[in-house]
Amino acid sequence: MQDTRALALTFEVSGLPPVKTEALSIFAAGHRQATRVRALLQAACAAAQRTGWTPLSGPIEVDLVLRCPPGHRTSDASTLLGGVCAVLQDKKRVTSIGLAHLGVLVDVALYDDDRQIRQLSYAEQPAEDFSYQVRVAAVPNVV
C-alpha cells in the first residue's frame, strides 16, 4: 500500500513570528511571545487539518520567509528560526512548565523534534505589512 501522507506543508501567518531569545520558555503562560506563539499554532493547525498532515519523524527541512516593510526588521534570522522551530515541534517533551493555557493547541506539531532538521532557510521580502510563510518538508535519508 502506498503512503499518501503529505511530505511538505506550506502556510501563511499574519504578523511577526515568535522569537526565541531567552532562557524562559516561549510556552510559559503570560510570556511576551504568547500572541505570536498562538497565531503560529493556529495557522499550523488549520493547514495540517486542511491537508491531513501527520507529524514527520524523519529528517526535515524548514523554510521561513519573513515579509516586512523595508528597514523594519525586528529580530535576527537565528532568533526567528529558533522561535518558529520551537513552536512547531512536539511540545510533549516540554515538561518543566505547564502547557494547559494552550488548550488544544498544545497538540499541534508538524514534526517530533528539532534534531530532525537537516536544512534551514531564511529569506526576507519587502511588504507593506508583517507576515510570514513557513514550509516544513520531509527530506530523504542520506546514507
Side-chain angles (χ1 to χ4, degrees):
M1 181 178 249
Q2 183 179 358
D3 186 357
T4 58
R5 289 183 305 157
L7 297 178
L9 183 67
T10 303
F11 58 96
E12 303 282 332
V13 186
S14 295
L16 288 165
V19 295
K20 191 172 179 183
T21 60
E22 56 194 82
L24 179 64
S25 173
I26 62 176
F27 298 114
H31 191 280
R32 62 189 178 100
Q33 297 292 313
T35 301
R36 294 180 187 185
V37 168
R38 257 187 141 45
L40 177 53
L41 286 172
Q42 289 167 337
C45 182
Q49 288 176 336
R50 217 175 19 256
T51 62
W53 182 265
T54 56
L56 298 173
S57 57
I60 63 167
E61 64 182 59
V62 178
D63 305 316
L64 174 63
V65 177
L66 176 66
R67 295 184 194 94
C68 57
H72 287 88
R73 184 173 177 209
T74 62
S75 297
D76 62 75
S78 64
T79 59
L80 292 165
L81 284 164
V84 168
C85 291
V87 171
L88 296 179
Q89 69 183 342
D90 189 342
K91 284 152 285 306
K92 289 178 182 72
R93 62 183 192 78
V94 179
T95 58
S96 58
I97 61 169
L99 300 175
H101 63 281
L102 292 175
V104 296
L105 294 176
V106 74
D107 293 324
V108 176
L110 301 187
Y111 55 93
D112 297 332
D113 189 273
D114 280 347
R115 287 176 277 193
Q116 295 169 243
I117 299 172
R118 300 296 181 267
Q119 297 175 10
L120 279 173
S121 73
Y122 173 82
E124 290 182 18
Q125 296 176 348
E128 287 187 32
D129 298 312
F130 288 103
S131 67
Y132 59 103
Q133 180 185 68
V134 177
R135 179 178 176 272
V136 175
V139 295
N141 279 320
V142 178
V143 180

